[in-house]
Amino acid sequence: MGYQKIREISSLHERREYFNHLLCDIEALEKMFKENIFEKGINRIGAEQELFIVDENFRPSKNALKILKEIDDKRFTTEIALFNIELNLDPLLLENNCFSKLKEQLTSLIEIAQINAEKIDNNKILLVGILPTLKKKDLAYKNITPHKRYKTLSKILKKIRGKDFRLHLRGVDELILTHETILFEACNTSFQVHLQIDP
């Protein structure tokens, strides 16, 4: 799950402070390796699933915060857009029937999300890579999840690029779009598996 606190670096002093913290983190990591502090001899899997929230017409619904409040489970969290949420599965030992357990947990959590989404404007949870009913107008800045983390991320990435974001999809058809925010990232959802191994 993402850390929600963030602030933009706006001065040379803050930049130096940031790099100092980063170097301290790297030194701490090196010390952990040298002193053999990392857990060893055990492998675990974990996963996260990103989800779309849609209304009765399968159009994006901006009810993520209301649905998350209704769910009230720390395994569920925000995503960059108000029409996405993310769920994080509990880590499991990589042994025996762990993949069956992973599937059971995923199915159970998606059902919890669906039940609670229906309570808010009869919304639905949708598992799909790219939501076919998304329109460019759905990517308006007002639909970024209103946490400083996402707004700052969009602002900083645009500043680094020095121009709008560009999307270029090639296939049978070709699509080229530009947009002022990072909300292109909210157009697709994924299932990500994590693996813990020895250092």
Side-chain angles (χ1 to χ4, degrees):
M1 290 188 205
Y3 185 62
Q4 297 293 342
K5 291 185 180 179
I6 190 170
R7 67 183 171 88
E8 185 178 356
I9 294 172
S10 57
S11 70
L12 186 58
H13 172 74
E14 288 177 332
R15 188 175 298 265
R16 284 187 189 128
E17 189 178 293
Y18 167 79
F19 278 109
N20 185 48
H21 286 294
L22 183 61
L23 291 171
C24 287
D25 286 349
I26 293 169
E27 286 175 15
L29 181 64
E30 186 177 36
K31 181 177 179 177
M32 291 173 74
F33 276 116
K34 283 181 181 174
E35 296 181 10
N36 207 17
I37 295 174
F38 284 102
E39 183 178 41
K40 290 185 180 160
I42 190 163
N43 294 336
R44 289 189 183 90
I45 58 166
E48 55 187 271
Q49 175 70 64
E50 297 164 347
L51 306 163
F52 276 106
I53 305 165
V54 295
D55 63 19
E56 292 173 322
N57 299 312
F58 291 89
R59 293 273 300 123
S61 172
K62 290 89 177 175
N63 283 326
L65 298 179
K66 291 177 186 175
I67 293 168
L68 287 170
K69 187 175 180 182
E70 196 69 37
I71 292 171
D72 192 27
D73 184 326
K74 290 185 185 210
R75 293 174 292 184
F76 290 85
T77 190
T78 57
E79 259 298 330
I80 196 163
L82 286 169
F83 47 80
N84 299 125
I85 58 174
E86 175 183 302
L87 66 89
N88 294 275
L89 281 70
D90 300 319
L92 298 166
L93 290 175
L94 184 59
E95 61 183 16
N96 304 324
N97 63 345
C98 64
F99 293 107
S100 296
K101 288 180 182 175
L102 189 78
K103 179 188 173 228
E104 288 169 17
Q105 188 181 157
L106 180 61
T107 303
S108 171
L109 290 173
I110 290 171
E111 186 175 332
I112 288 168
Q114 184 61 50
I115 289 166
N116 286 284
E118 287 173 3
K119 292 177 187 176
I120 309 296
D121 299 334
N122 204 25
N123 283 173
K124 299 172 183 56
I125 295 298
L126 202 58
L127 283 161
V128 61
I130 298 175
L131 185 63
T133 57
L134 262 175
K135 297 180 179 177
K136 193 170 180 183
K137 69 179 184 180
D138 296 317
L139 306 180
Y141 190 74
K142 67 181 180 179
N143 293 331
I144 288 180
T145 299
H147 294 325
K148 190 174 181 183
R149 171 189 186 193
Y150 302 115
K151 292 180 177 184
T152 302
L153 185 62
S154 184
K155 181 180 175 184
I156 290 170
L157 288 174
K158 185 169 181 180
K159 187 176 180 181
I160 289 168
R161 293 177 59 81
K163 57 185 176 181
D164 285 347
F165 299 91
R166 185 171 185 260
L167 177 69
H168 187 178
L169 299 176
R170 286 183 218 148
V172 175
D173 294 317
E174 188 171 29
L175 176 67
I176 301 171
L177 294 171
T178 58
H179 197 54
E180 61 189 16
T181 74
I182 58 171
L183 273 174
F184 277 149
E185 294 293 325
C187 292
N188 63 294
T189 59
S190 65
F191 176 70
Q192 302 158 32
V193 179
H194 304 220
L195 176 63
Q196 176 189 335
I197 58 172
D198 285 351

